[in-house]
């Protein structure tokens, strides 16, 4: 693919909060340790302390989870390497969207794989393992039950409840049968007993040769490593105040925060139930159920069944860093922003805050879209303008008539200044009256200019339709392609699509890739 990149802040697709982080704005420096550049990993490695006992538990659980799956030598070697003190992980996470969901899921995994390769070249004495953390405990079924392929929305209907990772995925084989033969591996994956196992299977199929290790943290032995945090959250509530303080600090600088800590940041997870735990006068209540515990019963439950405690968005990142020898988390713009609210929680529990790496971002441009766009004469970067603004720019650039009153407005401002100088010598208060008059003149001239442009636009409706067609092709439903289209739209046309991404993306290039098919 022919490739070019542009700065993310020129796409108008990201929040100012995220752009300021990418641009390393000084005001955000207190909310993270260091920016994710290759040289900064040296310090992260030196400071990352990870218990050998935790490594043993992690290794045991991974071997158990992979026991019934045929894996590559790369995956096997990476799992074994996690037993060594010089091995670290680079992690990304995502929901268990059916058939991988939106395209950026693939971009996330490509980013962690490439990051590990780059870091191995820079620090050959260490091992770096790419990890995909499955959000198997998530219960937001409506967020994961659909995907878009060739303009059609495929939806999985099921009445199963609770953590989606526990769902029986066999019903998804019916959807797999509707897809072209090249997607047949999904049918095999959805023959697994649970949606979590299916996720591990298809990620292994797509990325196994790259050594990606899939972690399902919904496991008793892994949760037991998090016991002290569970107890603190249920009985001391440290996280609530720490996140609130950070949020106030960010809000005071004009940054809109995304997550809010509760008094208790765990769900109760058991037998098809994943509901919030609330503190009551008599102990604890599981919301929307009849499940109750007094304090002694709750302490006993934590000791006997830590797997029944599922962290929410506030404590899931800390849980991740507790069970993995992790150096960096790779996420999207929303993830990077909410992680910045959590550093104080990590500091409180004496756990190193990871480097926050934005994933790779890309727009795949098929030949028909590229050809149509080239005919407009607009620069490729204008693809990110909304359709109306792109059309206005084309009209003003290609009209045979002069549509701008900019020269007239410039002359008007000069006349206004002369009038104000004359008035000021007689009565300084008259300058405000003159400013108001000329403001009215300016508004009317600008309005007239807009009418000229609208009149000219009526003469070029065919060009407008062409621009709108390209925009819909690249931004389906007005959304970034990567946030809506499934990777099968490209993979089934070119089975080497993922390999092309692996060869093209630089994990440390925080720009928008434009990929021309």
């Amino acid at each position: 693919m022919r490739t070019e990149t542009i700065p993310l802040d020129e796409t108008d697709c990201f929040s100012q909060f995220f752009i300021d982080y990418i641009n390393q704005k000084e005001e955000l420096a207190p909310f993270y340790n260091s920016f994710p550049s290759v040289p900064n990993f040296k310090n992260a490695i030196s400071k990352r302390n990870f218990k050998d006992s935790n490594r043993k538990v992690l290794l045991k659980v991974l071997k158990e989870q992979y026991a019934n799956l045929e894996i590559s030598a790369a995956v096997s070697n990476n799992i074994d390497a996690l037993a060594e003190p010089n091995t670290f992980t680079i992690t990304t996470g995502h929901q268990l969207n059916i058939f991988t969901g939106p395209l950026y899921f693939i971009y996330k995994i490509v980013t962690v794989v490439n990051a590990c390769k780059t870091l191995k070249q820079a620090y050959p004495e260490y091992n770096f393992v790419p990890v995909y953390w499955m959000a198997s405990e998530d219960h937001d079924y409506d967020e994961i039950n659909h995907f878009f392929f060739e303009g059609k929305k495929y939806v999985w209907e099921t009445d199963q409840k609770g953590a989606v990772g526990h769902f029986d995925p066999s019903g998804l084989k019916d959807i797999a049968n509707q897809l072209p033969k090249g997607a047949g591996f999904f049918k095999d994956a959805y023959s697994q007993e649970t949606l979590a196992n299916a996720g591990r299977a298809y990620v292994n199929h797509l990325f196994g040769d790259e050594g990606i290790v899939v972690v399902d943290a919904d496991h008793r032995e892994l949760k037991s490593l998090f016991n002290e945090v569970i107890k603190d959250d249920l009985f001391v509530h440290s996280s609530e105040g720490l996140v609130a303080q950070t949020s106030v600090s960010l809000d005071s600088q004009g940054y809109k925060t995304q997550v809010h800590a509760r008094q208790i940041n765990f769900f109760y997870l058991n037998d098809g139930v994943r509901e919030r735990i609330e503190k009551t006068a008599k102990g604890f209540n599981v919301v929307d159920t009849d499940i109750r515990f007094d304090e002694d019963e709750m302490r006993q439950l934590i000791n006997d069944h830590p797997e029944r405690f599922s962290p929410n968005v506030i404590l899931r990142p800390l849980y991740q860093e507790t069970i993995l020898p992790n150096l960096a988390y790779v996420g999207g713009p929303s993830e990077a922003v909410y992680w910045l609210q959590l550093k104080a929680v990590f500091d409180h529990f004496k756990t190193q805050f990871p480097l926050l790496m934005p994933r790779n971002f890309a727009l795949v441009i098929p030949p028909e879209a590229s050809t149509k766009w080239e005919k407009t004469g607009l620069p490729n970067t204008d693809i990110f303008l909304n359709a109306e603004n792109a059309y206005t720019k084309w009209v003003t650039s290609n009209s045979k008539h002069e549509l701008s009153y900019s020269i007239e407005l410039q002359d008007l401002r000069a006349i206004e200044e002369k009038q104000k100088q004359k008035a000021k010598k007689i009565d300084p208060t008259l300058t405000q009256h003159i400013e108001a008059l000329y403001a009215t003149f300016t508004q009317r001239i600008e309005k007239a200019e807009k009418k000229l442009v609208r009149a000219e636009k009526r003469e070029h409706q065919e060009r407008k339709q062409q621009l709108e067609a390209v925009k819909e092709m690249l931004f389906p439903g007005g959304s970034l392609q990567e946030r809506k289209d499934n990777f099968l739209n490209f993979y089934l046309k070119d089975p080497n699509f993922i390999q092309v991404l692996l060869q093209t993306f630089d994990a440390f290039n925080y720009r928008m890739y434009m990929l021309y098919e």
Side-chain angles (χ1 to χ4, degrees):
M1 290 186 183
R2 182 169 64 86
T3 303
E4 62 178 312
T5 65
I6 64 171
L8 295 179
D9 52 9
E10 291 183 11
T11 66
D12 198 30
C13 295
F14 303 93
S15 71
Q16 192 58 49
F17 195 165
F18 178 66
I19 293 299
D20 284 352
Y21 174 68
I22 290 288
N23 292 333
Q24 303 178 59
K25 193 171 181 180
E26 187 176 345
E27 287 81 354
L28 290 176
F31 302 100
Y32 59 95
N33 287 331
S34 57
F35 193 73
S37 63
V38 174
N40 284 343
F41 273 82
K42 183 177 182 179
N43 188 49
I45 291 169
S46 67
K47 291 185 176 181
R48 187 62 168 114
N49 295 317
F50 192 73
K51 296 178 182 177
D52 183 61
S53 57
N54 287 23
R55 285 187 183 274
K56 291 179 179 178
V57 172
L58 176 63
L59 187 64
K60 177 177 180 293
V61 171
L62 285 174
K63 286 184 175 294
E64 172 190 312
Q65 292 182 345
Y66 273 91
N68 297 319
L69 192 64
E70 184 176 342
I71 59 176
S72 66
V75 172
S76 179
N77 291 340
N78 276 345
I79 291 175
D80 290 340
L82 287 168
E84 304 301 324
N86 66 332
T87 299
F88 301 95
T89 60
I90 307 297
T91 301
T92 192
H94 198 67
Q95 296 169 300
L96 282 172
N97 296 73
I98 63 171
F99 296 85
T100 75
L103 182 56
Y104 70 79
F105 169 81
I106 299 296
Y107 295 168
K108 279 185 167 185
I109 298 186
V110 169
T111 305
V112 293
V113 168
N114 281 346
C116 288
K117 292 177 180 178
T118 298
L119 291 170
K120 182 63 176 178
Q121 291 178 342
Y123 306 102
E125 66 272 31
Y126 298 101
N127 302 313
F128 302 94
V129 175
V131 166
Y132 163 49
W133 175 288
M134 291 192 295
S136 56
E137 298 176 40
D138 199 343
H139 62 275
D140 292 325
Y141 162 72
D142 290 341
E143 295 183 6
I144 65 104
N145 73 341
H146 61 277
F147 69 101
F148 293 87
F149 173 60
E150 292 186 340
K152 179 181 177 180
K153 183 178 183 179
Y154 292 81
V155 181
W156 179 32
E157 302 290 353
T158 179
D159 59 2
Q160 298 176 76
K161 304 292 183 183
V164 297
H166 299 176
F167 284 15
D168 174 1
S170 57
L172 288 166
K173 288 187 285 185
D174 293 335
I175 296 178
N177 286 333
Q178 301 174 40
L179 301 175
K181 291 183 179 179
F185 62 91
F186 278 116
K187 188 174 180 179
D188 294 335
Y190 290 127
S191 297
Q192 298 280 334
E193 291 184 1
T194 66
L195 194 62
N197 288 347
R200 182 182 300 105
Y202 64 66
V203 170
N204 184 67
H205 174 86
L206 293 169
F207 289 96
D209 289 342
E210 300 298 330
I212 190 78
V213 174
V214 179
V215 173
D216 181 2
D218 182 11
H219 194 284
R220 185 184 186 284
E221 291 188 60
L222 294 176
K223 289 285 179 69
S224 68
L225 304 177
F226 209 46
N227 269 9
E228 294 308 310
V229 176
I230 299 174
K231 292 174 183 176
D232 179 284
D233 194 63
L234 269 68
F235 294 99
V236 183
H237 318 305
S238 298
S239 298
E240 181 183 25
L242 293 167
V243 174
Q245 290 173 14
T246 300
S247 298
V248 168
S249 181
L250 286 166
D251 289 340
S252 69
Q253 297 184 46
Y255 294 112
K256 185 178 180 181
T257 51
Q258 294 193 152
V259 296
H260 303 280
R262 296 181 179 274
Q263 184 183 39
I264 294 175
N265 296 284
F266 281 91
F267 294 92
Y268 178 80
L269 177 63
N270 192 36
D271 294 334
V273 172
R274 188 181 188 247
E275 297 289 349
R276 289 192 298 107
I277 301 171
E278 285 189 338
K279 187 80 172 66
T280 66
K282 295 182 179 180
F284 300 90
N285 169 46
V286 178
V287 175
D288 294 332
T289 74
D290 295 326
I291 302 172
R292 307 283 187 273
F293 302 98
D294 63 28
E295 289 199 359
D296 290 338
E297 290 171 333
M298 184 59 82
R299 291 184 188 277
Q300 191 64 45
L301 186 68
I302 295 170
N303 290 330
D304 294 345
H305 295 286
E307 73 277 7
R308 296 185 186 177
F309 296 86
S310 177
N312 70 2
V313 67
I314 298 297
L315 289 178
R316 189 210 64 77
L318 182 66
Y319 179 40
Q320 171 187 296
E321 300 303 306
T322 299
I323 69 173
L324 294 176
N326 201 47
L327 296 176
Y329 181 74
V330 172
S334 296
E335 291 172 291
V337 165
Y338 86 70
W339 273 73
L340 293 175
Q341 294 179 245
L342 305 179
K343 184 175 180 295
V345 176
F346 280 76
D347 293 344
H348 175 80
F349 289 104
K350 297 180 173 55
T351 302
Q352 183 172 316
F353 192 66
L355 279 70
L356 301 180
M357 285 186 65
R359 63 170 174 82
N360 285 126
F361 302 91
L363 179 66
V364 182
I365 304 172
E368 57 269 35
S370 179
T371 299
K372 288 181 179 179
W373 191 264
E374 286 177 3
K375 289 179 180 178
T376 69
L378 293 173
N380 291 338
T381 52
D382 283 349
I383 284 176
F384 292 95
L385 292 174
N386 66 48
E388 190 60 33
N389 288 344
Y391 181 45
T392 299
K393 185 171 182 179
W394 183 89
V395 168
T396 55
S397 300
N398 291 274
S399 174
K400 297 177 181 178
H401 310 288
E402 178 57 57
L403 302 179
S404 173
Y405 282 134
S406 59
I407 295 175
E408 287 81 357
L409 285 171
Q410 187 175 345
D411 292 341
L412 185 65
R413 282 190 287 271
I415 295 171
E416 177 189 1
E417 193 58 37
K418 289 180 181 179
Q419 293 277 6
K420 284 165 60 177
Q421 292 299 325
K422 286 183 179 180
K424 188 175 182 181
K425 293 176 182 178
I426 301 170
D427 183 353
T429 62
L430 291 174
T431 58
Q432 293 180 348
H433 174 66
I434 292 171
E435 286 176 354
L437 285 174
Y438 278 91
T440 301
F441 296 156
T442 299
Q443 289 172 2
R444 290 181 177 178
I445 292 173
E446 289 174 343
K447 187 175 182 180
E449 179 178 300
K450 290 178 181 178
K451 287 185 176 181
L452 281 178
V453 173
R454 282 199 298 271
E456 184 70 14
K457 282 181 175 180
R458 288 194 289 269
E459 302 298 319
H460 303 282
Q461 287 300 304
E462 184 177 344
R463 181 65 71 187
K464 180 180 181 181
Q465 293 170 1
Q466 187 179 52
L467 285 167
E468 289 175 343
V470 174
K471 290 295 293 185
E472 181 57 30
M473 195 182 304
L474 301 179
F475 299 83
S479 175
L480 269 177
Q481 176 194 73
E482 62 176 30
R483 298 177 188 172
K484 187 169 183 178
D485 281 348
N486 184 269
F487 87 105
L488 290 174
N489 288 282
F490 309 98
Y491 180 79
L492 294 181
K493 290 188 294 184
D494 180 6
N496 291 318
F497 177 67
I498 290 176
Q499 285 300 316
V500 171
L501 297 179
L502 286 163
Q503 295 165 12
T504 302
F505 287 170
D506 175 355
F508 295 92
N509 184 2
Y510 306 126
R511 293 164 64 92
M512 174 67 74
Y513 280 85
M514 299 175 71
L515 309 176
Y516 299 88
E517 288 187 303

